[in-house]
Amino acid sequence: MPGMRPETSLRDEEPVRPALAVLGVFRHRNFRLFFAGQLVSLMGTWMQTVAQAWLVYALTHSPLLLGLTTFCSQVTVFFLAPFGGLVADRVDRRRLLLVTQSAAMLQAAVLAGLTLAGVVRVWEIVALAFGLGLINAFDMPTRQAMLLDMVGTSDLRHAIAVNSMMFNLARVIGPSLAGAVIALTGEGWCFALNAVSFSAVLASLWLMRLTPRLPRRHDRPLDEIAEGYRYSFHHRLIRVSLFLIAASSCFGAAYLTLMPAFARDMLHGSAAHYGVLMAAVGAGAFVGAYGLSLIKERWLVAAPVIAGAVFGIGLMAFSQSQGLWQAVVVLVPTAMCLMIQGGTTNTIIQLAAGERFRGRVISHYSQAFIGMMPWGALILGALADRFGVREAILWGGSVVLASSTLGWLMRRGQVWKLENLRTKE
């Protein structure tokens, strides 16, 4: 690929000035295009996410239905991500993303039309959320796997860090814009703006020029999926890393589902308060994504365990927040730790995966991180409906803390270094 430097050892890649080294990924033309298109599109996506949750709660006042909507939008990732990873290993990834992003644009346009017409019903929101989940089951592993295609092994860590910063910069801007748009014009225009935002990422994908991948022999799909699972779980570090991120996602990250109820009922706020809370989450995650690029090699493997434990403690503290700004102060480091845990886990498994398995291994990460959220949303939504929002978040944080302790015990007795991560194909 033009501009790509020769692959060097991981230890040689330890940057002298990481604050500047992380920007080196922008010398890759394809990554620059990817960054610009995704930033615009993700701002629209976060606007839709916030507006959808607020609309569901405004129509129903039910934490359980909030959880159900999130469950339907993400549960397909849990079941179908392995098939998405398999397809990502077989086909041209750029062309597949053109299809999935076009389908997501259509989904947003339909939701906008129903809402602006004033005829939208909860079951339609849930059905469209389910449809978006189907799209994401193929989009997510393909998008993650294409990072290495764009920047190469030597810049992978920085690409993941910058990609995460982009995602969370959009998480800061999108919810803030959504809160203002909802207050001024209603939820429908958030959905419409999201549909328009997909034009940016589609344009960036059309302009990319990627090196063709070498053809390989294909086995039966179910055999290849089973082979991918054997490959992932053969490596003890990957097993532990996936366990940790799955626990944090299911019992911790699902607190985002309850954010409209927390803002409205616990803090007695409005859509603007909800937007501020979500922007605080985005700000913390943005800082965490940048922090990923600063983590030294000797700490990378331990980071998921430590960050998971602090994330659990942060959730427990957030559950007891009594005011908006108290909640904001707690949310920033809490979201930062979840992002560090997710980013370091992503880095570890991508460095460990061989090229022919990469899409499938990343699909397991998508299952653990994104696919476990709907189960947690359903569990925490039911607990909140029965015992209260604060109690549900407190319980989730305590489970995350316990899982991090267990993860530390599971990794005892082994010294894991980056240069030992890559397994044989």
Side-chain angles (χ1 to χ4, degrees), residues 359-381:
R360 282 167 284 175
V361 172
I362 294 172
S363 76
H364 304 155
Y365 171 77
S366 298
Q367 276 187 302
F369 198 6
I370 305 300
M372 291 302 294
M373 283 187 191
W375 303 102
L378 210 57
I379 293 169
L380 293 190

Side-chain angles (χ1 to χ4, degrees), residues 38-99:
Q38 284 289 313
L39 180 60
V40 174
S41 179
L42 285 171
M43 284 192 288
T45 297
W46 277 109
M47 291 184 70
Q48 173 161 316
T49 299
V50 169
Q52 178 177 276
W54 189 260
L55 179 59
V56 169
Y57 198 69
L59 291 173
T60 66
H61 297 281
S62 170
L64 181 59
L65 283 175
L66 272 179
L68 179 63
T69 304
T70 301
F71 178 83
C72 289
S73 69
Q74 297 174 342
V75 71
T76 48
V77 176
F78 180 82
F79 289 109
L80 296 181
F83 293 93
L86 174 65
V87 174
D89 281 338
R90 288 187 169 199
V91 305
D92 184 300
R93 291 167 182 155
R94 185 183 68 89
R95 292 181 180 177
L96 179 57
L97 286 179
L98 284 168
V99 173

Side-chain angles (χ1 to χ4, degrees), residues 332-414:
V332 171
T334 301
M336 178 187 73
C337 289
L338 178 61
M339 179 49 58
I340 289 176
Q341 185 183 31
T344 50
T345 301
N346 191 350
T347 302
I348 288 167
I349 66 172
Q350 290 221 43
L351 290 174
E355 166 58 27
R356 65 184 293 260
F357 289 98
R358 183 152 38 99
R360 282 167 284 175
V361 172
I362 294 172
S363 76
H364 304 155
Y365 171 77
S366 298
Q367 276 187 302
F369 198 6
I370 305 300
M372 291 302 294
M373 283 187 191
W375 303 102
L378 210 57
I379 293 169
L380 293 190
L383 287 172
D385 216 37
R386 178 68 176 83
F387 301 105
V389 174
R390 293 188 190 278
E391 290 74 12
I393 297 175
L394 177 64
W395 182 83
S398 65
V399 173
V400 171
L401 179 58
S403 68
S404 297
T405 304
L406 179 59
W408 182 264
L409 295 175
M410 290 169 66
R411 55 158 285 171
R412 287 191 308 173
Q414 282 198 350

